[in-house]
Each structure stands twice: as structure tokens, then as C-alpha cells.
Amino acid sequence: MGRQRTFVCGLDAAFAVVGGKWKALLLWELAQGVRRFGELRRALEGISEKMLIQQLREMEHDGLVHREVYREVPPRVEYSLTAFGRSLNAAMEPLGAWGDEHKARIEELHS
Amino acid sequence: MGRQRTFVCGLDAAFAVVGGKWKALLLWELAQGVRRFGELRRALEGISEKMLIQQLREMEHDGLVHREVYREVPPRVEYSLTAFGRSLNAAMEPLGAWGDEHKARIEELHS
DNA sequence: CAGGATCCGTGTTGATACTG
DNA sequence: CAGTATCAACACGGATCCTG
């Protein structure tokens, strides 16, 4: 992925795994429960299949997401959070609450 | 900035103001105290002057940062957090603590 | 259904030089 | 000191088509 780097603070390290446009949303969605590929695609409106699988793979590599493959026809793959992923989601909750609280203000600023 | 959009959840809104490579670090640095332009540049090793001023301006626009200009020679400008910025920083604290805790693991993953 | 592979635009980031 | 301006590079994200 990226070259080895030293993080100057915890925020830096945290953003290395949840940064970008989609990962925080994926984390939140998977925190609601186990999800299949297609469910995630519909939940994150606007994401392309490429980005979805790419973000999922990176989160799997980072140990946040577990991928369970069922060898059936048609194929079925279920994604869920690991304990590590759940701990991250818990740490993001205050931030989510803050965003919820100031949602309207932020939307207006970015109009 | 970006077109008007509707945020699907609070995380989405929060990332609209602290997303990107530098803003979280700036927020954290400014939470330590008032800082001058040059101090910030030295604190965020690797940032270019252009990015620094650009991120600061956006955070100022979002109401997170206050910019105080002192008409002196040589010029002096001091940056600080607004109450809004401090509230965001508080909301990010658990995330920072999480990152601190798992720093080593994440650094290794991204090597 | 759940991906892979490829092409491609563009926003973001960076280097460098210059200014009040 | 605290910026501006300009140019260049690249990663990010998206569209489309293809496969087991």
C-alpha cells in the first residue's frame, strides 16, 4: 500500500485505516450487521463495484473486516466486522454523533 | 468547494470537514495551543506551504479555525481553534486514543 | 451473484520560485 | 514571516466490459 511511515499521533494512524471516501461508511454499515456484497453496494449509494471490493480488501488486510465465502450456486460472500473492526467503530461513535449534531450546518457550508 | 450533498450519516458529515491528509493533524496541533504559520509548518513535517494555507483556509471557512492577523513588521498571524473546532477535537479524542493504542500494528500493516 | 481487468479523467498533492 | 502563483505528478475514484 503506502510506504512505511511513522505516525506523529494516534489520529494519523487511525486515518491510515479509515481514511478515504468510503471506509468509514462501510465500517458503519457493517457495524449494523453481516452484509453481502450486493447489500453493501446498494447501501453505499454511488459506489462502484471496483471501489467497493478495493476498500473491502484493504479493510480485510487491515484486520477490520472478515470475509466468509460460501461455495454455493449462486455464489454468496458475507462480510462482517472483526473484534478489531468493532473496536474502531466504537472509537468513531463520538465523531459520528458530532457529525449528526452539526449535519445541517456542514451541509450548508459545503453548498 | 463540493456540490451540495446529503450526508447518509454523521460520519459522512464529520469527514467532510476533517477528511484528507492534513486537517486532523492540524486540528490536533491547534488543540495544543495557539500557533503561528511557521510553527504549524514545522509541526506538520512534510507539508508544503501551499497545502498548509489551503487546509487552514478551508478550516477557517468551516468555522473550525480562527485567524488573527497582527499588522506588524515582520508580519505575524496566529491560528487557534474556535469553540466549534474544540468540540470537534473532543469528538475525535477516542479515535486518536484508538490509533495510539494500535499504532505499532497499523504501521506494520502498511509497510 | 460476486467479482476481475482495463482505461481514463480530474482533483488533490507536491516542488519551486516569487512577493508584500 | 507569511503568504501567492505556476507547473507538474500521481493517486483516487469512476465507467465499462468481462468471467467463474
Side-chain angles (χ1 to χ4, degrees), chain A residues 7 12-20 23-24 58-59 62 64 84 88, chain B residues 98 106 109-110:
Chain A
F7 300 116
D12 207 358
F15 269 68
V17 296
V18 282
K23 285 182 184 171
E58 288 179 15
M59 292 173 78
D62 287 342
L64 299 171
F84 191 47
L88 174 54
Chain B
W98 184 92
I106 298 173
L109 284 170
H110 288 224

Side-chain angles (χ1 to χ4, degrees), chain A residues 29-44:
Chain A
E29 182 65 25
L30 288 175
Q32 313 305 305
V34 175
R35 293 285 185 274
R36 298 184 57 174
F37 184 84
E39 293 177 323
L40 289 174
R41 191 184 21 174
R42 283 185 294 276
L44 279 74

Side-chain angles (χ1 to χ4, degrees), chain B residues 20-22 49-51 54-55 75:
Chain B
K21 194 172 176 180
W22 301 109
E49 298 188 343
K50 173 189 159 187
M51 288 314 296
Q54 183 176 306
Q55 304 301 303

Side-chain angles (χ1 to χ4, degrees), chain B residues 21-57:
Chain B
K21 194 172 176 180
W22 301 109
K23 285 181 183 169
L25 299 177
L26 272 172
L27 196 77
W28 184 82
E29 182 65 26
L30 288 175
Q32 313 304 305
V34 176
R35 292 285 186 273
R36 300 182 57 174
F37 184 85
E39 292 177 325
L40 290 173
R41 189 184 25 175
R42 283 187 293 278
L44 280 72
E45 205 181 353
I47 195 172
S48 68
E49 298 188 343
K50 173 189 159 187
M51 288 314 296
L52 179 53
I53 193 63
Q54 183 176 306
Q55 304 301 303
L56 282 171
R57 289 282 147 85

Side-chain angles (χ1 to χ4, degrees), chain B residues 87-106:
Chain B
S87 76
L88 174 54
N89 185 66
M92 305 243 310
E93 220 168 80
L95 187 58
W98 184 92
D100 242 13
E101 192 177 342
H102 303 287
K103 208 167 156 170
R105 176 175 179 176
I106 298 173

Side-chain angles (χ1 to χ4, degrees), chain A residues 12-70:
Chain A
D12 207 358
F15 269 68
V17 296
V18 282
K21 195 173 178 179
W22 301 110
K23 285 182 184 171
L25 298 178
L26 272 171
L27 196 76
W28 184 82
E29 182 65 25
L30 288 175
Q32 313 305 305
V34 175
R35 293 285 185 274
R36 298 184 57 174
F37 184 84
E39 293 177 323
L40 289 174
R41 191 184 21 174
R42 283 185 294 276
L44 279 74
E45 204 181 355
I47 194 171
S48 68
E49 296 189 344
K50 173 190 160 186
M51 289 314 297
L52 179 53
I53 192 64
Q54 183 176 304
Q55 304 302 304
L56 283 171
R57 287 283 146 85
E58 288 179 15
M59 292 173 78
E60 192 188 351
H61 171 262
D62 287 342
L64 299 171
V65 164
H66 174 69
R67 178 170 180 266
E68 187 75 39
V69 181
Y70 298 87

